[in-house]
């Protein structure tokens, strides 16, 4: 049976306590940076800041549990540093609002006026198919039904719909209609499979006037039921 003081402080060195403070500081910022770089997909319901905190606390809580050469006092310092950082950063964000954007990102407009918003192109490409799936989950059959779609900081999608009378032609989102036209010479309109731009004339071999890509599907204009 070990003495309580051994469990808490076994072999700890004062200078190492300071090192843990610095390590935690660096690790927390690194975790936050990595999550920020990864983007917010897959971090549903949690903001990046909260996620960084949970990961930091999680790993600090885990290690001393099964490593007997790791005194618990180290983990306590990790917790204190994380809480200090959390309080400090929350305070800074309250005082300087622009910091919030840097830290957690801003809400992104992903659909505007029945088309994908091109300014967000860079962010959209990696998970375009996920947006299709999110929109389908909201029973959106095609982009022509959507006036505006916003990707929130917590990873959820908020959608505003057109009035039934204002539904326009748009890019189909369900696989049965999201198909590249080939050898088709019937009536249009047609929708760019990348950005959702709709044109009337047969676009075979033509570039999209909006995004310069060259894949077209038949557009549809069914109303929401
Ligand atoms: Zn296009």
């Amino acid at each position: 049976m070990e003495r309580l003081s051994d469990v808490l402080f076994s072999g700890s060195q004062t200078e190492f306590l300071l090192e843990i403070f610095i390590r935690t500081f660096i690790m927390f910022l690194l975790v936050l940076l990595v999550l920020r770089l990864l983007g917010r997909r897959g971090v549903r319901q949690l903001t990046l800041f909260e996620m960084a905190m949970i990961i930091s606390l999680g790993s600090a809580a885990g290690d001393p549990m099964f490593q007997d050469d790791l005194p618990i006092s180290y983990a306590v310092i990790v917790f204190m540093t994380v809480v200090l950082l959390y309080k400090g950063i929350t305070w800074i964000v309250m005082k300087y609002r622009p910091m919030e954007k840097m830290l957690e990102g801003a809400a992104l407009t992903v659909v505007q006026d029945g088309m994908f918003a091109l300014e967000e192109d860079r962010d959209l490409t990696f998970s375009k198919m996920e947006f299709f799936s999110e929109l389908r989950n909201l029973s959106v059959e095609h982009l022509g039904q959507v006036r505006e779609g916003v990707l929130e900081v917590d990873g959820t999608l908020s959608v505003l719909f057109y009035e039934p009378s204002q539904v326009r032609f748009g890019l189909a989102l369900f696989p049965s209609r999201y198909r590249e036209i080939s050898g088709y010479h019937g009536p249009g309109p047609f929708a760019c499979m990348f950005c959702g731009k709709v044109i009337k004339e047969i676009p075979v071999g033509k570039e999209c006037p909006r995004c310069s890509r060259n894949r077209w599907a038949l557009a549809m204009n069914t109303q929401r039921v």
Side-chain angles (χ1 to χ4, degrees), residues 118 191-197 207-216:
L118 282 186
C192 170
M193 291 178 82
F194 185 82
C195 74
K197 168 84 178 168
E207 278 187 355
C208 170
R210 190 161 172 253
C211 72
S212 307
R213 284 175 177 80
N214 196 3
R215 290 181 67 212
W216 299 90

Side-chain angles (χ1 to χ4, degrees), residues 132-151:
F132 276 64
S133 141
E134 295 271 344
L135 286 163
R136 285 195 297 262
N137 280 333
L138 294 167
S139 302
V140 182
E141 198 175 1
H142 62 90
L143 284 185
Q145 297 175 338
V146 179
R147 183 148 60 88
E148 193 161 345
V150 169
L151 181 65

Side-chain angles (χ1 to χ4, degrees), residues 154-221:
D154 67 4
T156 55
L157 202 59
S158 305
V159 171
L160 289 177
F161 296 104
Y162 279 116
E163 292 288 320
S165 61
Q166 292 186 314
V167 167
R168 51 191 65 190
F169 277 94
L171 177 64
L173 299 172
F174 282 78
S176 59
R177 300 293 296 269
Y178 182 79
R179 285 220 181 122
E180 191 168 1
I181 48 162
S182 53
Y184 176 85
H185 293 289
F190 306 88
C192 170
M193 291 178 82
F194 185 82
C195 74
K197 168 84 178 168
V198 172
I199 59 169
K200 289 205 169 67
E201 66 275 21
I202 287 190
V204 177
K206 246 185 225 167
E207 278 187 355
C208 170
R210 190 161 172 253
C211 72
S212 307
R213 284 175 177 80
N214 196 3
R215 290 181 67 212
W216 299 90
L218 265 178
M220 55 192 301
N221 68 342

